[in-house]
Amino acid sequence: MAKIRKLHQQLIAKDRTAVELTQDYLDRIAALEPQVHAFLRVNGEAALAQARQVDAQIAAGEPIGPLAGIPLALKDNLCTQGIRTTCGSRMLADFVPAYESTVTQKLKAAGAVFLGKTNMDEFAMGSSTETSAFGPTANPWSLDRVPGGSSGGSAAAVAAAECVAALGSDTGGSIRQPASFCGIVGLKPTYGLVSRFGLVAFASSLDQIGPLTNSVEDAALVLGAIAGHDPRDGTSIPEPVPDYTQALVPDLKGMRIGIIQETLGTGLDPQVAQAMETVWRQLQDLGAEVLELSCPRFRYGLPTYYILAPAEASANLARYDGVKYGLRDQTCTNLMDMYQRTRAEGFGAEVKRRIMLGTYTLSAGYYDAYYLKAQKVRTLIKEDFHQAFAQVDALVCPTAPTTAFPAGSKSADPLSMYLSDLMTIPANLAGLPALSLPCGFDDQGLPIGLQVIGNVLREDLVFRVAYAYEQATPWHQRPSPLS
Amino acid sequence: MLDREQVRKVALLARLQITPEEEAKLALDLGNILDYIRQLNELDTQAVPPTNRALETVNVSRPDQLSICDQREAILQAGPAVEGDFFRVPKIL
């Protein structure tokens, strides 16, 4: 049984109170954080106060929803009113938002308990959580490995059982790749399904918020709570939100699933490739028709992304000018000096690199060669997916080319770090829902992730494939050494 | 590789003060990344329309209704230098 539903039943059966449950997680956080460092901030008092409210509701005999009293963690790029939101950056080290993001408002209304804010790559730019200005996070499966990124704090917190589930954000794989590295479930929903109001912007044509959880059912429950139209996000889709748990059927009879041929070639860790071969057989055993499909432009996703995302970021991060909030250099004597020094002090090396890259590709004379070219290739990548989904209900491929890599091993060479997002980026470019779930372990005992990609707004089919696979395999039952 | 002059020009556009060491590293890194990105030229995109965002949304509008923002104090408090109802900045003129 999935974790959230089990805890919910314990709460309504009065086997334990929400306060006890919250305290258990706070105790685990206190014990494990010296090793893991998944959290930037823990708000124990506020969490216990939220839990007390839920206990009062239960005591009064009022019905509670499935997320009421469930302890969650939030990536630190989600604005929380009155609670510091740093984005892993010195620029926002003391920033206290005056407003609450839509997703956290919805979860609060559902009675969820917020334990704290999780570590992340600075401004969500990175694949290892090593670019955080506040120190790295360790992978609970092996403390000398990275947890992935940029939502590495959220993934590590779930894998170490420091929270029941967490929210992250995914611009090029920042939910799915850490979920893969930490052996948990992570979903990037369809672009526009979840409101980004209150999410600190990175690349607005790509950013989405989604859940990191222990199980597919938990992901379906959390998504159901945060999805839906929001007039405060102009890209939000005005569609009703279905009950995603209805899609959780333990077989794949009548389904057609495509394996993306181009993801199985060179550069793939042989142990990940082997796991994928087993996946193929397992999906067939579950009743699916499995075929190999070509998405010939899939591999161009990465270079396309490294034009579009830094370009959008260079514009989005122009707001950090030292005037209205965030850091300001206090030694400056004129305005230009203030901008330049504030940004030099506030941003770390990776953020500067991407701002520079984006400013360069958008600058006079280069726009057509880079930005416009990338937008056109984006169209071709969408076409590949369009053709694929004319033949199949869902696509599968590895989430990442490797398992979690050693801390520090890719920090000196930005391009080698970028390559770990090769498999996740195309779904962002095309706006498609994509989920990572565990599909095996390498010989070091590190988790391998399987990515399931669906067509626009077909989260139901993604959940069905993931759920059937999860129920038929033992991978999700193996706890991390720290959990 | 980008030359140092180009790096300085872009840094000025981006309003980033960079040290000579950062300048050298950025010239190298950006050069490598741009070399990698150039593989997009393998694709003929002459007749391909650009995609702006994953799912196109056109002309999203809402009624022009007044709503109250009662966060004035909290917003001002977040300012790094505030005087009265204003954000202070260094002398402009």
Side-chain angles (χ1 to χ4, degrees), chain A residues 436-466:
Chain A
S436 179
L437 79 163
C439 72
F441 291 86
D442 71 6
D443 54 16
Q444 309 281 306
L446 296 167
I448 299 170
L450 167 68
Q451 183 175 217
V452 183
I453 306 173
N455 208 346
V456 173
L457 289 176
R458 292 319 301 265
E459 274 77 4
D460 57 333
L461 295 178
V462 171
F463 281 136
R464 180 169 171 193
V465 173

Side-chain angles (χ1 to χ4, degrees), chain A residues 139-157:
Chain A
N139 188 317
W141 291 88
S142 175
L143 294 172
D144 59 352
R145 304 269 168 163
V146 302
S150 65
S151 311
S154 288

Side-chain angles (χ1 to χ4, degrees), chain A residues 3 7 25-26 28-29 32 38-39 70-74 113-116 118 153-167 212-214:
Chain A
K3 200 137 197 180
L7 293 172
Y25 278 95
L26 290 172
R28 285 194 59 80
I29 290 171
L32 292 172
F39 284 85
I70 303 296
L72 307 180
L74 304 169
V113 170
F114 300 151
L115 296 168
T118 57
S154 288
V158 173
E162 292 181 297
C163 62
V164 178
L167 290 189
L212 295 106
T213 60
N214 284 295

Side-chain angles (χ1 to χ4, degrees), chain A residues 157-421:
Chain A
V158 173
E162 292 181 297
C163 62
V164 178
L167 290 189
S169 65
D170 189 316
T171 303
S174 280
I175 289 173
R176 291 160 285 156
Q177 184 256 23
S180 172
F181 282 12
C182 291
I184 60 167
V185 174
L187 170 75
K188 182 205 84 74
T190 299
Y191 183 78
L193 180 62
V194 177
S195 166
R196 288 102 46 89
F197 179 77
L199 170 71
V200 178
F202 162 14
S204 303
S205 82
L206 301 157
D207 299 340
Q208 261 295 286
I209 298 167
L212 295 106
T213 60
N214 284 295
S215 72
V216 175
E217 186 186 320
D218 285 359
L221 284 168
V222 177
L223 180 66
I226 61 173
H229 182 244
D230 179 6
R232 291 176 299 184
D233 176 354
T235 59
S236 174
I237 302 172
E239 290 280 332
V241 179
D243 176 1
Y244 295 111
T245 60
Q246 295 295 312
L248 307 177
V249 183
D251 70 62
L252 298 174
K253 291 192 187 90
M255 285 196 78
R256 287 164 68 93
I257 298 173
I259 292 187
I260 305 172
Q261 209 167 70
E262 285 77 10
T263 61
L264 303 176
T266 47
L268 191 64
D269 181 322
Q271 296 187 75
V272 177
Q274 204 182 348
M276 286 305 296
E277 277 177 35
T278 316
V279 164
W280 187 316
R281 246 193 353 264
Q282 287 161 327
L283 294 174
Q284 282 174 328
D285 290 346
L286 285 161
E289 185 187 339
V290 184
L291 49 145
E292 208 170 303
L293 269 181
S294 175
C295 290
R297 276 78 61 105
F298 193 90
R299 72 184 177 90
Y300 293 102
L302 190 69
T304 301
Y305 177 87
Y306 276 97
I307 295 174
L308 298 179
E312 293 183 29
S314 73
N316 271 327
L317 272 62
R319 73 191 66 188
Y320 302 103
D321 56 6
V323 177
K324 298 181 294 300
Y325 54 88
L327 186 77
R328 174 188 301 186
D329 173 79
Q330 298 297 346
T331 64
C332 52
T333 52
N334 66 60
L335 202 62
M336 187 60 147
D337 209 30
M338 182 186 83
Y339 295 149
Q340 290 179 323
R341 290 198 201 184
T342 295
R343 292 163 65 77
E345 283 169 40
F347 293 137
E350 180 61 26
V351 173
K352 285 179 188 169
R353 191 152 43 227
R354 297 209 199 181
I355 289 174
M356 290 286 290
L357 183 60
T359 305
Y360 176 82
T361 58
L362 288 177
S363 62
Y366 297 110
Y367 181 85
D368 285 5
Y370 292 108
Y371 193 74
L372 188 63
K373 179 80 188 183
Q375 285 188 309
K376 290 177 166 188
V377 177
R378 189 173 187 179
T379 305
L380 297 176
I381 291 165
K382 281 180 77 172
E383 272 175 16
D384 277 2
F385 278 120
H386 187 73
Q387 280 165 20
F389 284 116
Q391 300 173 63
V392 295
D393 300 303
L395 291 165
V396 294
C397 67
T399 306
T402 66
T403 53
F405 46 84
S409 64
K410 293 183 195 278
S411 302
D413 177 10
L415 208 49
S416 75
M417 184 74 85
Y418 297 171
L419 283 166
S420 71
D421 292 334

